[in-house]
């Protein structure tokens, strides 16, 4: 885990000027690429609902891994979550996606948000342990 914090943002400006836009765009791009892949594969109907849900869960777990790092984690989770919820609502309103698949997409978006917050908690916990003189590897 210490390698995830090796190249953290040094200033607030660096965090807002580089990490935030790049993280948001990366999260949004993951969902856009997922939707593009579904359209290219011809998985736009209800008969491919299980495959769509499983691939979306896999991509969401990759996004969750990226959201659990230091650089741009909340921006990535925001970009991924907002676009995943938008894709779920759009798919459900156009009746090309069953409700349960849309619910899985929204659940996975919330999972990515949760893991980004979990990383913030871990960092805060490690800082408090360091202030007390305890080892930060736990």
């Amino acid at each position: 885990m210490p390698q995830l914090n090796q190249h953290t943002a040094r200033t607030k400006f660096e965090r807002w000027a580089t990490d935030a836009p790049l993280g948001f765009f990366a999260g949004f791009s993951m969902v856009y690429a997922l939707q593009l892949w579904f359209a290219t594969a011809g998985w736009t109907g209800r008969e491919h609902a299980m495959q769509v849900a499983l691939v979306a869960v896999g991509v969401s777990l990759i996004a969750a891994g990226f959201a659990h790092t230091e650089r741009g984690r909340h921006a990535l989770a925001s970009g991924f979550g907002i676009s995943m919820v938008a894709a779920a609502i759009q798919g459900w309103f156009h009746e090309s996606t069953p409700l349960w698949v849309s619910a899985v997409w929204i659940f996975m978006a919330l999972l990515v948000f949760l893991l980004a917050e979990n990383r913030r908690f871990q960092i805060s916990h490690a800082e408090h342990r360091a202030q007390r003189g305890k080892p930060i590897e736990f």
Side-chain angles (χ1 to χ4, degrees), residues 45-80:
R46 292 179 177 266
E47 62 273 1
H48 297 288
M50 184 59 78
Q51 294 97 324
V52 166
L54 291 175
V55 171
V57 166
V59 170
S60 297
L61 293 176
I62 293 169
F66 285 130
H68 208 255
T69 62
E70 174 61 28
R71 297 205 61 135
R73 66 185 179 274
H74 287 99
L76 185 130
S78 297
F80 185 83

Side-chain angles (χ1 to χ4, degrees), residues 1-33:
M1 282 298 201
Q3 289 179 331
L4 295 176
N5 297 328
Q6 190 172 7
H7 300 291
T8 60
R10 290 178 291 282
T11 63
K12 192 172 193 173
F13 177 75
E14 182 181 351
R15 192 173 299 115
W16 282 99
T18 60
D19 291 355
L22 291 175
F24 188 85
F25 181 71
F28 180 83
S29 296
M30 290 178 81
V31 176
Y32 182 75

Side-chain angles (χ1 to χ4, degrees), residues 14-132:
E14 182 181 351
R15 192 173 299 115
W16 282 99
T18 60
D19 291 355
L22 291 175
F24 188 85
F25 181 71
F28 180 83
S29 296
M30 290 178 81
V31 176
Y32 182 75
L34 183 66
Q35 294 293 319
L36 186 64
W37 188 75
F38 290 157
T40 304
W43 292 1
T44 55
R46 292 179 177 266
E47 62 273 1
H48 297 288
M50 184 59 78
Q51 294 97 324
V52 166
L54 291 175
V55 171
V57 166
V59 170
S60 297
L61 293 176
I62 293 169
F66 285 130
H68 208 255
T69 62
E70 174 61 28
R71 297 205 61 135
R73 66 185 179 274
H74 287 99
L76 185 130
S78 297
F80 185 83
I82 290 169
S83 56
M84 194 72 140
V85 169
I89 291 171
Q90 183 260 346
W92 187 56
F93 280 155
H94 287 96
E95 297 179 357
S96 61
T97 306
L99 179 61
W100 70 270
V101 174
S102 295
V104 167
W105 290 354
I106 292 171
F107 176 73
M108 295 312 289
L110 292 173
L111 180 74
V112 173
F113 278 122
L114 182 66
L115 284 175
E117 277 300 306
N118 178 276
R119 182 63 183 149
R120 185 190 65 78
F121 173 77
Q122 284 181 345
I123 292 169
S124 174
H125 184 65
E127 288 171 348
H128 290 131
R129 286 180 64 88
Q131 288 175 350
R132 290 191 310 259

